[in-house]
Amino acid sequence: MKPLSYFVCALLLFAASASATAQTPGPSGPDGDAPYINPYSDPYASPAPAPRPSPLISQRLELGAPGHRYPFPIYASLPLDAPAGLRKVKRLVIVVHDERRDAERSLRDITALYAGQTRVAADTLVVAPRFPSMVDAALRGMPAWHRTGWMEGLPSIAVRGRPLPRSSFLILDDLLRHFTAPDRLPSLQTIVLAGHGAGAQMVQRYAVLNPLDESLRATGLGISYLVANAESYLYLSPLRPSRTGRGYARYERGICPTYEHYRYGLEDMPAVLQAYDGRLGRAQLASRYALRHVTYLLGSADNNPEYRGLDKSCGAEAEGATPLARGLGYWGYEMRGHGRNAPKPARHGFTVEGIGHNEAGMYASACAAKALLGSGDWATSATCKALPAQPRG
C-alpha cells in the first residue's frame, strides 16, 4: 500500500498544480485570453514603469544674488554649460515634479511630445528642478526640505552644511531671474511653468503669490502656468463649493476650523510668505491673479477618493472629495468671479478624457501639448474637452 499512497499523493499534487495554473489568468496571449485584473488594485494609480532609458545627469546651477549664491540640482533638455547651444531657445518650460520628486521623469514626459523633431529640440529648453530632501546624500550642500514643504513655498531647513533657509518660491524666482538674465537666452520669447499633482499645487500657489509675472511680461516675454491634477487649490476668499452641490458658500468652521488657513486659504500664512509677497490684500491678489495666464487640466478619471497620497485634511476636503471634484469646484469659483472686484480671468480649462492621476498621461494630451509647446505636430495620445465658461450650479 505504501507505494500506492505515494502515487496517489503525487497525482493529487499534480492535479492541484494544474488547477491553480488554469485558474490564474496571465497576460493576453496570441489566442486573445483576457488579461488578469487585480480587483483590489487602484485603477487610477500610475502604471508600473516600463524599463527606463539611460538616466539623465542632473546639472548644477549656481542661483541667487552675488554674495548669497547657492547650488541647486536641475535636469535639462540641453546642456546648460554650453552657451552656443542656448542661443536659439525661444521657449523655456520649467516643470515641477510631483511628490515622488522624480524630476528626470517629469522632463522626459514633456520632451517625449517633440521626440525626433530637431528644430523644436533646439529652440525649446525644458528644465526640471529637483527639490532635495534630507535623505538625498548626493545633494549635500544644497537647500533641502522636510517632506513636501517645498510644495507650499516653505523655507528649506536650517542645518549646518546647507545654505541659509530659502522659500521654494524664491527658488523659482531665482530660476526665472537666471534664465532671463541678459544674453543667457537671447532669443527667448515664452516661459511656461508647469506641474502635476504636488507640483501643480506649487505652481498654482506660485502663480497667485509671485511678484515677477508682470515685470517679465513688461519686457515682452509671454509667461503662463499649467496646473494639472492638483490635489488642492489656494482660494482667495472664504467661499467653497456648497455641500448641496450648487453654488458656493462659506464652509462650516465647526467642521473644519482651519479650512481658510494656508495652503488652502489666506489665513495664518507663514511669515516667510508674508514677507515674500503676501502683503497684498485679498482683493489685490484676486485682481492680479485673474490677469495671469493659467491653464487647468483635470483628468476625467481622477475621481478616486481613496487613492494613495490624496490629501484628506479637512481643508482639502472642504474643496471636494477627489482631485477632479476639487478642480471643477475651483474652476467654477474662478468663472463666477468670487474674487471681489476681480476682472474676467485669463483662463483655459480642460478635462483630459480617460486619464486619472497620471503625469505622463496628462502631459501626453492635446491640450497639455498646446499649453506647454504652443501649436504644432506633437506626439499626443489623449483628447481634451473644454470646461464650460459658465458652469452650472
Side-chain angles (χ1 to χ4, degrees):
M1 293 297 293
K2 192 171 184 180
L4 181 58
S5 64
Y6 284 149
F7 174 76
V8 171
C9 290
L11 184 61
L12 290 173
L13 286 172
F14 175 80
S17 175
S19 175
T21 300
Q23 294 177 25
T24 305
S28 296
D31 296 327
D33 298 331
Y36 171 64
I37 299 176
N38 181 355
Y40 302 104
S41 65
D42 182 349
Y44 306 120
S46 297
R52 297 185 62 165
S54 58
L56 295 170
I57 298 175
S58 66
Q59 304 181 51
R60 172 175 164 154
L61 281 185
E62 292 290 329
L63 299 175
H68 301 280
R69 306 284 279 174
Y70 60 93
F72 205 78
I74 302 288
Y75 289 89
S77 60
L78 296 170
L80 300 179
D81 57 357
L86 301 176
R87 296 189 186 280
K88 296 181 180 180
V89 170
K90 297 179 181 179
R91 180 177 293 263
L92 170 65
V93 179
I94 300 175
V95 57
V96 182
H97 52 66
D98 62 16
E99 60 273 11
R100 295 169 297 184
R101 299 185 308 109
D102 191 346
E104 178 188 348
R105 176 174 177 167
S106 297
L107 184 144
R108 289 189 186 278
D109 287 341
I110 291 178
T111 56
L113 291 168
Y114 59 82
Q117 300 189 44
T118 306
R119 180 191 61 79
V120 180
D123 65 19
T124 303
L125 173 61
V126 183
V127 298
R130 180 179 178 184
F131 289 90
S133 75
M134 286 295 291
V135 302
D136 292 319
L139 301 178
R140 290 175 181 171
M142 301 186 184
W145 283 261
H146 286 302
R147 304 185 67 180
T148 56
W150 54 268
M151 178 185 71
E152 305 176 38
L154 298 183
S156 54
I157 57 176
V159 64
R160 181 178 298 178
R162 303 255 182 197
L164 293 174
R166 193 165 188 79
S167 163
S168 58
F169 288 168
L170 285 175
I171 303 292
L172 293 183
D173 285 356
D174 289 341
L175 278 172
L176 289 172
R177 292 190 179 102
H178 175 86
F179 286 111
T180 57
D183 300 325
R184 184 88 63 190
L185 301 175
S187 301
L188 185 64
Q189 299 174 0
T190 304
I191 300 171
V192 182
L193 289 97
H196 176 270
Q201 293 188 66
M202 182 183 189
V203 168
Q204 192 265 333
R205 288 162 177 82
Y206 182 74
V208 173
L209 296 174
N210 84 77
L212 298 184
D213 185 293
E214 288 74 21
S215 61
L216 290 173
R217 280 191 278 142
T219 67
L221 290 172
I223 180 167
S224 61
Y225 309 86
L226 176 64
V227 177
N229 280 347
E231 288 97 341
S232 67
Y233 299 79
L234 177 60
Y235 275 76
L236 303 180
S237 80
L239 300 178
R240 297 295 186 273
S242 172
R243 298 178 69 189
T244 66
R246 297 187 63 83
Y248 292 77
R250 290 175 179 266
Y251 200 70
E252 296 180 31
R253 294 273 188 177
I255 297 175
C256 184
T258 59
Y259 87 93
E260 259 287 86
H261 288 194
Y262 188 82
R263 67 188 187 267
Y264 310 105
L266 295 175
E267 291 181 1
D268 198 31
M269 184 171 286
V272 67
L273 295 183
Q274 292 181 30
Y276 173 60
D277 205 35
R279 293 163 291 182
L280 298 178
R282 289 180 185 269
Q284 292 172 297
L285 283 173
S287 296
R288 189 179 72 173
Y289 184 50
L291 296 175
R292 296 181 172 184
H293 295 269
V294 184
T295 297
Y296 299 111
L297 299 187
L298 311 174
S300 70
D302 195 10
N303 55 4
N304 181 0
E306 302 297 334
Y307 92 85
R308 183 176 62 254
L310 178 64
D311 183 352
K312 303 189 81 170
S313 65
C314 69
E317 294 284 350
E319 299 184 12
T322 67
L324 177 59
R326 295 170 190 178
L328 291 173
Y330 198 79
W331 174 260
Y333 167 83
E334 289 226 280
M335 292 301 101
R336 286 171 173 81
H338 283 309
R340 182 175 296 176
N341 301 321
K344 183 178 180 180
R347 299 290 183 266
H348 295 287
F350 302 90
T351 55
V352 181
E353 298 303 292
I355 304 298
H357 204 76
N358 184 316
E359 179 184 87
M362 294 295 288
Y363 288 151
S365 65
C367 43
K370 184 174 181 179
L372 291 164
L373 303 173
S375 299
D377 184 19
W378 314 127
T380 60
S381 57
T383 58
C384 304
K385 181 179 179 181
L387 292 173
Q390 295 182 338
R392 298 177 181 177

